Amino acid sequence: MEEIYRQNARIVYHYLYALCKDKELAEDLTQDTFLRAFQAIDNFDGSCKLSTWLCQIGKHLLYQAWEKQKREIPTDWDNPPPNETPAAHRDSAGEAIAKVELAEILEELNSLPPAMREVICLRAINGLSYREIGQMLGKSENWARINFYRGKELLLKKHC
């Protein structure tokens, strides 16, 4: 169980953080996700990756938390994830440019429809396959592929 946590906690955390933009909430929900998963591990049928199943659990817990808080799902990207470029490749000027570019891209990403934005995050940030994204969102693999492509095209048009 500890190995499962080590292999997947970062993926679940980044996914939840991309959805809620709240570090503390994402951390709490990541812990709750693994607790819930360990309690229901017998329900995992292997039809998707374990990380996909865990992200689904996390997403449902997030929606439940929002429901409890009677809070609207946020659509802004005021708190982007930290730059995760290795320290050896960072310099102050390069880091500043990267932050500005990231802020611009996140602002443009925010203008996309929520489903398209979620597909792009799952693919680009978490590295999920189109099949896994489709399963996670209750859609087809082709739907995920098309939404990623269209979102990417919209972002390229806005960025150029």
Side-chain angles (χ1 to χ4, degrees), residues 43-55:
N43 295 336
F44 179 64
D45 62 7
S47 63
C48 63
K49 277 187 174 179
L50 184 59
S51 60
T52 302
W53 182 66
L54 291 167
C55 286

Side-chain angles (χ1 to χ4, degrees), residues 66-90:
W66 280 336
E67 185 65 31
K68 284 181 185 176
Q69 295 173 358
K70 296 189 190 262
R71 175 177 160 193
E72 266 186 44
I73 296 174
T75 57
D76 63 0
W77 287 77
D78 290 338
N79 300 314
N83 184 350
E84 293 187 8
T85 307
H89 299 289
R90 277 192 232 159

Side-chain angles (χ1 to χ4, degrees), residues 127-140:
L128 297 180
S129 70
Y130 296 115
R131 180 174 169 258
E132 293 168 329
I133 294 168
Q135 288 174 339
M136 181 178 285
L137 300 177
K139 304 285 185 177
S140 70

Side-chain angles (χ1 to χ4, degrees), residues 91-150:
D91 64 290
S92 58
E95 190 174 341
I97 291 169
K99 285 182 179 179
V100 169
E101 289 175 350
L102 179 61
E104 290 172 357
I105 291 169
L106 290 176
E107 186 175 321
E108 292 164 3
L109 186 61
N110 186 42
S111 69
L112 297 177
M116 195 175 285
R117 184 173 57 238
E118 188 171 12
V119 168
I120 289 173
C121 288
L122 289 170
R123 179 79 176 156
I125 295 172
N126 293 332
L128 297 180
S129 70
Y130 296 115
R131 180 174 169 258
E132 293 168 329
I133 294 168
Q135 288 174 339
M136 181 178 285
L137 300 177
K139 304 285 185 177
S140 70
E141 177 180 341
N142 197 41
W143 176 89
R145 188 180 307 277
I146 289 169
N147 272 278
F148 181 81
Y149 175 79
R150 289 179 180 165

